[in-house]
Amino acid sequence: MKTALLQISSSDDPAENLDMVRAMVADAAAQGARWVLTPEVTNCLSTSTTRQREVLRHEEDDITLAGLRAQAAELGIWLLIGSLGIKTHDPDGRFANRSFMIGPQGQIVARYDKIHMFDVQVTETETFRESANYRPGQRAVLAETDFGKIGMTVCYDLRFPHLHAALAQAGATILTVPAAFSPVTGAAHWEPLLRARAIETGCWVLAPAQTGDHRLSRGKPRRTHGHSLVVAPWGEVLIDAGTDPGIHIFDLDDKSVTEARRRVPSLTHVRAFDGP
């Protein structure tokens, strides 16, 4: 099945981002893609809580979700919206970092709220406290599609192999890891972690990413790593998108999963153990 990863550089203007993404989705579908995947925070990448409160919306009012659902139905394609910043009704006012699998009738097939929050000090000058603005999700999610079960994760979830193992053991043959990775951690860890998740699970790992210097109206500057990756179940990197925005199309097949798991059936060798 022809599948497309979109590598984009979102601003903090959701309407502007929607126009950009819709044009890329249409282009990908015209090239034959039946499934298109976008990165984390497709609707708004921002370093300003004030700006987020101004432009983010609840799920039922989000223009990106509505616009991309309509486009999926118009084109008859599957669409993974890597994630959207979504307002919630939580008393503390935190947002959700929510991934959506959209079906070819425009229906929401599955929602996943990012579980692991990126609360780290990468360097002396680069600190992230994602949990200050986003509430963590509580539930792992499989999306049922006509081409397999999709294990949905987002960005920092990549560092937690037990989540991906649980998704694979529950039937996932494809893992999605939309991201807005830091250039510092990206250069050191992005590819090896994605390859490890594929090798451990015998799954396809699809990681559409934000890239470059983001045009923000307020807040601190933000740069992301890019290098959207497609990793096959045996661990080969089939696509590395580099650092330019663009559309990357490839053929997805389930035979690769069967073959990788036949050669090393580690998912059937999991054992309970005591200790330490």
Side-chain angles (χ1 to χ4, degrees):
M1 184 181 74
K2 284 196 178 297
T3 303
L5 298 192
L6 304 188
Q7 181 158 282
I8 65 176
S9 186
S10 291
S11 71
D12 60 4
D13 182 336
E16 176 182 88
N17 295 331
L18 177 58
D19 287 343
M20 170 186 63
V21 171
R22 280 178 58 89
M24 295 176 77
V25 169
D27 190 349
Q31 295 183 57
R34 285 191 54 224
W35 184 23
V36 180
L37 298 85
T38 77
E40 184 180 21
V41 290
T42 291
N43 61 337
C44 176
L45 191 151
S46 177
T47 60
S48 165
T49 303
T50 300
R51 178 63 175 169
Q52 290 171 320
R53 295 203 185 285
E54 286 176 356
V55 300
L56 297 187
R57 298 290 182 264
H58 291 94
E59 180 178 316
E60 59 270 22
D61 300 317
D62 185 82
I63 63 168
T64 306
L65 179 59
L68 293 180
R69 287 182 66 185
Q71 188 175 28
E74 175 189 348
L75 298 173
I77 62 170
W78 289 86
L79 180 59
L80 178 86
I81 305 174
S83 83
L84 303 174
I86 295 289
K87 284 185 174 177
T88 72
H89 297 288
D90 281 9
D92 62 10
R94 287 188 294 175
F95 312 115
N97 191 341
R98 183 169 296 162
S99 186
F100 294 88
M101 179 66 81
I102 308 301
Q105 286 78 48
Q107 75 276 28
I108 298 175
V109 172
R111 301 169 176 84
Y112 166 71
D113 286 1
K114 181 178 180 180
I115 291 173
H116 300 97
M117 297 289 99
F118 192 47
D119 291 354
V120 303
Q121 183 168 342
V122 176
T123 68
E124 290 184 1
T125 60
E126 189 175 19
T127 299
F128 297 89
R129 291 289 179 268
E130 190 175 22
S131 65
N133 288 337
Y134 288 89
R135 67 174 196 194
Q138 302 294 326
R139 186 171 63 92
V141 173
L142 280 176
E144 300 272 357
T145 74
D146 60 9
F147 50 90
K149 293 182 179 180
I150 315 302
M152 299 170 67
T153 76
V154 176
C155 202
Y156 190 54
D157 286 330
L158 176 60
R159 293 181 180 273
F160 299 88
H162 59 283
L163 171 60
H164 300 82
L167 291 166
Q169 287 162 356
T173 57
I174 303 165
L175 301 172
T176 54
V177 192
F181 234 67
S182 156
V184 175
T185 58
H189 302 149
W190 174 243
E191 181 179 322
L193 286 171
L194 288 166
R195 293 188 67 202
R197 299 298 84 84
I199 293 165
E200 291 162 354
T201 63
C203 287
W204 285 93
V205 176
L206 311 183
Q210 294 277 354
T211 192
D213 293 303
H214 297 271
R215 191 160 49 81
L216 307 181
S217 62
R218 67 187 74 174
K220 295 179 180 178
R222 179 75 192 277
R223 183 173 178 80
T224 51
H225 178 62
H227 293 279
S228 299
L229 289 189
V230 174
V231 186
W234 193 245
E236 316 98 304
V237 175
L238 301 188
I239 289 176
D240 180 334
T243 57
D244 292 332
I247 300 166
H248 298 270
I249 295 180
F250 62 99
D251 287 314
L252 189 70
D253 71 85
D254 55 6
K255 293 179 182 177
S256 298
V257 174
T258 302
E259 177 61 13
R261 292 179 177 180
R262 181 193 66 78
R263 294 170 73 182
V264 182
S266 57
L267 290 176
T268 67
H269 296 161
V270 176
R271 293 174 56 84
F273 50 85
D274 297 327

